[in-house]
Amino acid sequence: MKKLILYILIFVLGGVNLTACHSSMQTFKVLQFNIWQEGSVVKNGFNAIIDEIIRSDADFITLSEVRNYQNTKFCDRIIEALQEKGEKYYSFYSDDSGLLSRYPIIDSVTVFPLKNDQGSIYKLIADMNGQEIAVYTAHLDYRNCAYYDAKGYDGCSWEKRIPVTDVDSLLVLNRKSMRDDAIALFIQESAKDRAAKRIVILGGDFNEPSHLDWDKTTQDIRDHSGMIVPWDVSIALEQAGFRDAYRELYPDPLTHPGFTYPADCKDVALEKLLWAPEADERERIDFIMYAPAPGLKLSDIRLIGPQGNILKGQRITEKTEDPILSPLGTWPTDHKAVLATFQINR
């Protein structure tokens, strides 16, 4: 009888410990969403943004192309619209890029302020049930977009030109942008968060590809002009210890190219989706990056948007292995969104 009681106690206590262990695991989601001029290009685009945010169930949202048109405060508008549908988020005023959080924001920082339309980076710090998290949003400089120069179009004017097929020459053009300057400030600022034991997440439209997508497997396809390119922003982030969430789970750029731009937004005329109509414009330029931390695990990542993209001036349906959630209805942007799910065991 005594042995039986002992076994029961061991079982019960073991169950309690398992429950305690389970309760220390928290899941959170991050959505990177280029909203194409606040959804103004597509009819009912703003409402579609709201619907997709709700469907994503994201805890943190990094927005690109926040414009605050007509002296409005976009993040106030979107917070109010979400509130009307029973969704509580927090935000603060920003320009060009924006942040939403389900958790109260305890601090915010302008890391790279918008100037001459050359990009922006903002940060929020939130208390996520006792764990501080620093979430950054980046909408980087769209000019001197050198991957277009490789594909036979000028990266500033988007006029046709002879393709740049020398890597060093291409990187000289790329470094005329402010993208590397902005990311250098992000790396400097985020070092403080990492020292403070915060989780650090960066979401953004970088307007620049990743070196992980311009490797030896893709150098002779997709108008890469035979080049293996160490693109500045992704290299700098990798050297600073950040991980590319999409490439962590899907490392093969052939089977999982992860193209986020230009997405086939069917509710607008084709010409509005074209910058280089005779080139293969498809690239992965929307990213979620994160700093490794004890107990932090990336458990899922997927794209949200149309199955199709734009290839050499035509709408096409991709046949890849990328995990893509189709839109609920109207798709409000010429980018696909990126949704990552993380777990933190504390």
Side-chain angles (χ1 to χ4, degrees):
M1 177 62 78
K2 289 182 179 180
K3 287 185 178 180
L4 179 59
I5 293 172
L6 180 60
Y7 291 149
I8 292 171
L9 284 172
I10 291 171
F11 177 79
V12 170
L13 290 174
V16 169
N17 288 336
L18 285 172
T19 301
C21 181
H22 177 73
S23 65
S24 68
M25 179 73 74
Q26 180 173 359
T27 297
F28 66 94
K29 295 181 180 180
V30 180
L31 177 69
Q32 158 56 25
F33 204 174
N34 180 308
I35 53 175
W36 203 11
Q37 315 298 348
E38 300 183 354
S40 65
V41 182
V42 181
K43 186 178 180 180
N44 295 321
F46 180 80
N47 292 331
I49 291 168
I50 299 299
D51 291 341
E52 291 294 347
I53 286 175
I54 293 172
R55 188 264 288 262
S56 75
D57 195 31
D59 298 282
F60 302 98
I61 300 157
T62 59
L63 299 171
S64 304
E65 300 199 20
V66 170
R67 301 305 186 201
N68 301 310
Y69 288 127
Q70 299 177 341
N71 296 317
T72 60
K73 295 181 179 179
F74 177 77
C75 285
D76 285 356
R77 280 204 298 133
I78 201 165
I79 290 294
E80 291 169 6
L82 286 163
Q83 182 72 48
E84 289 173 0
K85 296 204 171 187
E87 301 292 334
K88 178 66 174 177
Y89 281 90
Y90 302 88
S91 188
F92 57 92
Y93 180 82
S94 60
D95 201 6
D96 184 58
S97 52
L99 285 161
L100 305 180
S101 170
R102 283 195 185 275
Y103 296 91
I105 297 171
I106 59 179
D107 196 8
S108 63
V109 177
T110 301
V111 179
F112 188 79
L114 180 66
K115 183 179 179 181
N116 300 324
D117 201 19
Q118 291 182 298
S120 62
I121 300 179
Y122 298 89
K123 172 177 81 167
L124 68 77
I125 299 174
D127 186 335
M128 191 172 61
N129 299 327
Q131 167 66 61
E132 286 194 357
I133 180 169
V135 182
Y136 291 75
T137 180
H139 183 216
L140 302 185
D141 193 356
Y142 75 95
R143 285 171 291 194
N144 298 290
C145 196
Y147 72 86
Y148 276 98
D149 292 276
K151 298 182 179 193
Y153 283 80
D154 186 281
C156 284
S157 68
W158 285 271
E159 295 178 356
K160 288 200 69 177
R161 61 158 299 164
I162 297 173
V164 176
T165 57
D166 174 73
V167 172
D168 291 337
S169 299
L170 191 69
L171 290 177
V172 167
L173 293 172
N174 198 57
R175 289 165 189 161
K176 290 182 178 181
S177 80
M178 297 297 292
R179 291 185 293 273
D180 53 339
D181 304 81
I183 285 300
L185 289 178
F186 159 75
I187 291 170
Q188 178 181 315
E189 179 69 21
S190 64
K192 303 173 189 176
D193 299 307
R194 297 173 76 177
K197 308 299 183 184
R198 297 183 183 118
I199 294 171
V200 180
I201 306 287
L202 167 65
D205 170 5
F206 290 179
N207 280 310
E208 183 176 309
S210 169
H211 68 287
L212 299 175
D213 300 340
W214 284 60
D215 64 6
K216 64 182 180 180
T217 68
T218 63
Q219 67 183 110
D220 295 318
I221 59 176
R222 301 173 187 164
D223 286 354
H224 288 193
S225 299
M227 290 185 289
I228 298 172
V229 182
W231 292 103
D232 294 299
V233 168
S234 61
I235 286 288
L237 289 169
E238 183 179 88
Q239 290 177 345
F242 285 85
R243 294 180 182 173
D244 179 333
Y246 197 80
R247 279 287 163 256
E248 181 172 345
L249 291 191
Y250 302 108
D252 190 338
L254 292 179
T255 60
H256 294 79
F259 301 131
T260 62
Y261 180 84
D264 181 12
C265 182
K266 295 186 180 299
D267 292 310
V268 300
L270 180 60
E271 55 266 26
K272 289 187 176 181
L273 302 171
L274 301 176
W275 289 71
E278 296 179 26
D280 185 345
E281 297 183 74
R282 300 172 302 168
E283 289 292 345
R284 188 172 65 99
I285 59 173
D286 296 82
F287 298 88
I288 293 175
M289 302 279 187
Y290 75 99
L296 181 65
K297 178 184 178 183
L298 172 69
S299 58
D300 186 71
I301 191 162
R302 57 195 59 225
L303 307 178
I304 305 176
Q307 295 288 329
N309 292 308
I310 307 302
L311 173 61
K312 297 190 175 181
Q314 301 295 322
R315 302 178 190 268
I316 66 160
T317 300
E318 296 287 356
K319 297 180 180 179
T320 70
E321 297 178 31
D322 294 301
I324 303 176
L325 291 175
S326 295
L328 289 169
T330 298
W331 185 245
T333 171
D334 54 350
H335 287 242
K336 289 183 175 67
V338 186
L339 179 65
T341 303
F342 293 90
Q343 293 177 334
I344 180 71
N345 189 1
R346 295 177 293 158

